Amino acid sequence: MGCDRNCGLITGAVIGAVLAVFGGILMPVGDMLIEKTIKKEVVLEEGTTAYKNWVKTGTEVYRQFWIFDVQNPQEVAVNSSNIKVKQRGPYTYRVRFLAKENITHDHEDNTVSFIQPNAAIFEPSLSVGTENDTFTVLNLAVAAAPHIYQNAFVQVLLNSLIKKSKSSMFQTRTLRELLWGYKDPFLSLVPYTITTTVGVFFPYNDTADGVYKVFSGKDNISKVAIIDTYKGKRNLSYWPSYCDMINGTDAASFPPFVEKTRILQFFSSDICRSIYAEFGSEIDLKGIPVYRFVLPAKAFASPVENPDNHCFCTEKVISKNCTSYGVLDIGKCKEGKPVYISLPHFLHASPDVSEPIEGLSPNEEEHSTFLDVEPITGFTLQFAKRLQVNILVKPAKKIDALKSLKKNYIVPILWLNETGTVGDEKAEMFKSKVTGKIKLLGLVENILLGVGVVMFVAFMISYCACRSKRSGK
């Protein structure tokens, strides 16, 4: 009887040890299975989860606009006063709802090329007004004219056309005109063929962004979705330096198994450059653990602090010998127009940039850019891209509308928030296919390991107790 009991205890201990060992073995095996599945599903080829969502996003993406309505146009034009602005918005459009087109797979170099059609649909229910709301804003054509044509004689001719068209430093435009384009009266009088339609985002509808060429990740998962070329160029020709490099993805996804120490690089055609985000925090998004990566202040720092930005300092006066920060001159990829990009309300900008503008209230929560990335797959499940479009206007002695100015202004026109969040249905599907399976596998591993250890310890304690009783008789 004692022998049978001892054998039972030993057998139980052995079973416990086996379960513990099996649980321990299952951990790396399970991790390998997960890694293998993820690597298969994030490749950009037909039939994968990533490809389906890549061709046409399942997330509704909206672009909200806030317009800076100038309150004292006459004071500025006559006395060179500080510009008083009042933001009005949001005015919301649905964007990025069209599927990618001209998709071509190159199986030799494992790349996929495509174009992204552009279209915007106004969403009245998500807006404070209509597309016919009017605003007092900087006259884009008048402000840009002396910057593009710096010859004094040419400016005299332009001045006569500006006066004839009754144009001035500021103008009143509807939301639709300001965003998508209007026929400018001054430019319409220019006696040679030029584009006479002006708008912050003209042209946009019925156009396409690209051609992009990205890596599929078929041969190297660490390169999946990373841009190889944009419009046929690996390096944009606007600036002869690091700034023209096309680094990273389009921010919709990143190579899988994202670590907190990784710098996420992504290219944005809106600002003609690659930029990056750093880990900020862990958050829960509809039951899915994600890493929030945030655009750092250093991305808009002066070349003194961040040498990578030296090519965005194009002159010494406006930038105060390249020491000003918070704005990037992207005029060279905007046909020479004096366009400057910043974060909304000049967040993280030097005081000299925002000093001539009254009515701004920058804050991190409303005006910073972030990406919420699921770290195992690298999919971006939520994002907010926030940028401000500004125009440089300078005194011009030969142009009456600008000759009374005594200082330079970087005038904010509008700021935008392009945002998207994975829908409830997609989130549930994601949890069932990815995070749910990973949690289940982890739970099984821990149960087997835990039960095995407990059984082994319990039976060994019982066996030792039994042996002690037998030796004491």
Side-chain angles (χ1 to χ4, degrees), residues 119-145:
I121 299 176
F122 186 64
E123 296 284 351
S125 64
L126 301 176
S127 304
V128 298
T130 73
E131 287 188 292
N132 293 320
D133 286 0
T134 58
F135 307 88
T136 299
V137 293
L138 186 70
N139 190 316
L140 306 180
V142 171

Side-chain angles (χ1 to χ4, degrees), residues 87-296:
Q87 75 165 21
R88 291 168 55 191
Y91 294 88
T92 306
Y93 291 79
R94 189 178 175 199
V95 296
R96 300 190 184 279
F97 53 85
L98 297 176
K100 292 177 173 63
E101 296 180 355
N102 299 351
I103 298 174
T104 305
H105 296 264
D106 189 327
H107 298 291
E108 289 189 7
D109 60 3
N110 293 299
T111 58
V112 189
S113 60
F114 65 93
I115 60 172
Q116 179 63 63
N118 293 322
I121 299 176
F122 186 64
E123 296 284 351
S125 64
L126 301 176
S127 304
V128 298
T130 73
E131 287 188 292
N132 293 320
D133 286 0
T134 58
F135 307 88
T136 299
V137 293
L138 186 70
N139 190 316
L140 306 180
V142 171
H147 188 88
I148 297 174
Y149 303 101
Q150 298 183 11
N151 179 275
F153 176 72
V154 174
Q155 287 190 12
V156 170
L157 296 178
L158 292 177
N159 183 55
S160 65
L161 299 179
I162 292 172
K163 292 169 66 177
K164 187 175 181 180
S165 66
K166 298 182 180 179
S167 298
S168 57
M169 180 178 175
F170 294 95
Q171 62 178 341
T172 299
R173 289 292 168 188
T174 66
L175 176 72
R176 184 188 292 111
E177 288 175 329
L178 179 63
L179 295 180
W180 314 120
Y182 57 90
K183 190 175 180 65
D184 186 84
F186 150 52
L187 295 179
S188 299
L189 296 178
V190 174
Y192 53 87
T193 303
I194 62 169
T195 300
T196 58
T197 301
V198 179
V200 176
F201 295 98
F202 174 81
Y204 188 80
N205 284 310
D206 301 321
T207 66
D209 187 22
V211 175
Y212 286 91
K213 185 178 181 183
V214 302
F215 292 104
S216 69
K218 182 73 173 177
D219 61 332
N220 185 350
I221 201 65
S222 66
K223 295 169 65 176
V224 66
I226 290 178
I227 298 170
D228 180 35
T229 63
Y230 176 67
K231 295 185 176 180
K233 300 176 182 178
R234 282 188 172 83
N235 296 324
L236 297 179
S237 60
Y238 308 126
W239 298 285
S241 62
Y242 173 81
C243 308
D244 64 0
M245 296 293 289
I246 303 175
N247 297 306
T249 71
D250 65 356
S253 65
F254 297 89
F257 312 113
V258 177
E259 297 180 349
K260 296 176 183 178
T261 54
R262 188 192 294 185
I263 302 296
L264 298 186
Q265 295 184 321
F266 55 96
F267 174 74
S268 174
S269 59
D270 290 332
I271 61 174
C272 314
R273 67 167 289 186
S274 289
I275 206 159
Y276 61 93
E278 298 175 342
F279 175 78
S281 61
E282 292 185 50
I283 68 169
D284 182 281
L285 178 62
K286 300 186 177 182
I288 304 171
V290 297
Y291 290 170
R292 173 160 291 184
F293 284 80
V294 182
L295 193 71

Side-chain angles (χ1 to χ4, degrees), residues 384-421:
K385 181 178 75 173
R386 293 156 175 165
L387 294 171
Q388 181 170 298
V389 178
N390 312 279
I391 301 293
L392 171 66
V393 59
K394 299 188 294 185
K397 294 181 179 180
K398 302 297 182 181
I399 294 180
D400 291 352
L402 304 175
K403 70 179 183 180
S404 296
L405 299 182
K406 298 178 177 62
K407 55 190 173 187
N408 302 315
Y409 299 84
I410 296 180
V411 184
I413 306 299
L414 58 83
W415 72 274
L416 65 88
N417 175 28
E418 185 170 299
T419 183
T421 303

